[in-house]
Amino acid sequence: MNGAWWMVLAAACFGLMGVFVKLAAATLGTVELVFWRTAFAVLLLGGNALLRRQSFATPLLVRHLQRGVLGYISLLCYFYGISHLPLSTAVTLNYTSPLFLALLSMILLRERLSATALLAIALGFAGVALLLKPTLHGLGMLPVLVGLGSGFLAGWSYLHVRELGQAGEAEWRTVFYFALISTLGGLLLMLGQEWHPLTAANLPWVLGLGVTAMIAQLAMTRAYKLGRKLLVANLSYLTVVFSALFGVLLWQHVMTAGELAAMGLIILSGILAGRR
């Protein structure tokens, strides 16, 4: 299997992860869902590192903390969006992260953006406005802003991921510390609050969430390792397509022409932003 097909698998699994989040949200809160999602990764990556006798020590703890906090809040916003918005809408809002990454690179890092990147940002936010016009009318402001916030914070966290990579940090440690910080953050947020029990009704959804997220991460990593980076990055937007299909099949969310056009604009803008 070449890199392109690994990314198709990753996109399908990320779409399925959203399905499991939406199903589990009927009985579990957003903080709990993120906790189980990241605790699964901590156990998997930490156990694998112990078996391989890999070192957890790193001189980049501050950068890991910055990335971890931003990534954790982004994940909270994303899961909240999935719980309260149509699946395809929540996923599309999260996939505005390349636009925010380009914008933040210009603001925070003083990078000069090409005309293509500026066009991408304009197209992307036009797509967001088109997508959210009917959504705001039907569901209110808060879920929409939180969903869009997931894309903004994800883009910001990717700045720190890039810095960690440029500093020579191992990829598994970057993912592990993000999962660890998120899991500890979940425990802190849940102090004094009621935990909802895992039951026969919601346990399959929690396990499905953990398994699909793990497969998606592994498949995505393999895709970037084996495939052409630009092609693989573009194929990642298939997650939006899979999410739309799952929304139609499971929740009968029939998409309008305007929603389809908006998603197309956001996908196109993300592809252009990735080429900056």
Side-chain angles (χ1 to χ4, degrees), residues 214-255:
M214 178 189 68
I215 295 173
Q217 289 286 345
L218 293 174
M220 182 177 66
T221 302
R222 179 64 61 89
Y224 278 107
K225 182 178 181 180
L226 298 179
R228 289 181 291 163
K229 187 172 292 187
L230 187 58
L231 173 62
V232 167
N234 292 347
L235 286 174
S236 70
Y237 283 92
L238 284 174
T239 301
V240 176
V241 177
F242 282 118
S243 299
L245 291 175
F246 292 143
V248 172
L249 292 172
L250 297 175
W251 292 283
Q252 291 75 53
H253 176 232
V254 179
M255 301 180 68

Side-chain angles (χ1 to χ4, degrees), residues 11-185:
C13 287
F14 277 127
L16 280 172
M17 184 194 77
V19 169
F20 287 121
V21 169
K22 203 164 185 67
L23 291 170
T27 55
L28 298 172
T30 299
V31 175
E32 292 170 297
L33 289 172
V34 175
F35 171 80
W36 291 118
R37 153 74 173 86
T38 56
F40 200 98
V42 169
L43 292 174
L44 176 72
L45 292 171
N48 184 63
L50 289 173
L51 288 174
R52 293 172 175 263
R53 297 185 178 180
Q54 294 173 309
S55 174
F56 293 90
T58 175
L60 303 169
L61 278 176
V62 173
R63 292 187 183 180
H64 279 295
L65 183 62
Q66 292 170 330
R67 184 271 196 263
V69 170
L70 288 170
Y72 176 54
I73 301 173
S74 171
L75 201 54
L76 285 173
C77 292
Y78 184 36
F79 279 23
Y80 180 90
I82 290 174
S83 301
H84 293 83
L85 296 169
L87 180 60
S88 56
T89 302
V91 172
T92 304
L93 290 176
N94 183 256
Y95 270 71
T96 59
S97 55
L99 306 180
F100 287 114
L101 176 59
L103 195 60
L104 288 167
S105 295
M106 179 178 67
I107 296 171
L108 299 179
L109 303 181
R110 300 292 190 268
E111 289 186 3
R112 298 187 64 180
L113 298 184
S114 66
T116 300
L118 294 173
L119 174 63
I121 292 172
L123 285 176
F125 288 112
V128 169
L130 182 60
L131 178 66
L132 296 187
K133 187 176 180 180
T135 306
L136 279 171
H137 178 73
L139 296 171
M141 180 73 75
L142 181 60
V144 167
L145 290 179
V146 172
L148 189 59
S150 75
F152 170 72
L153 291 168
W156 195 354
S157 74
Y158 293 154
L159 283 180
H160 295 291
V161 172
R162 186 169 66 180
E163 288 178 347
L164 286 164
Q166 291 172 344
E169 184 63 286
E171 291 179 4
W172 75 267
R173 271 200 297 266
T174 298
V175 178
F176 172 78
Y177 279 110
F178 160 64
L180 179 63
I181 291 166
S182 298
T183 302
L184 294 175

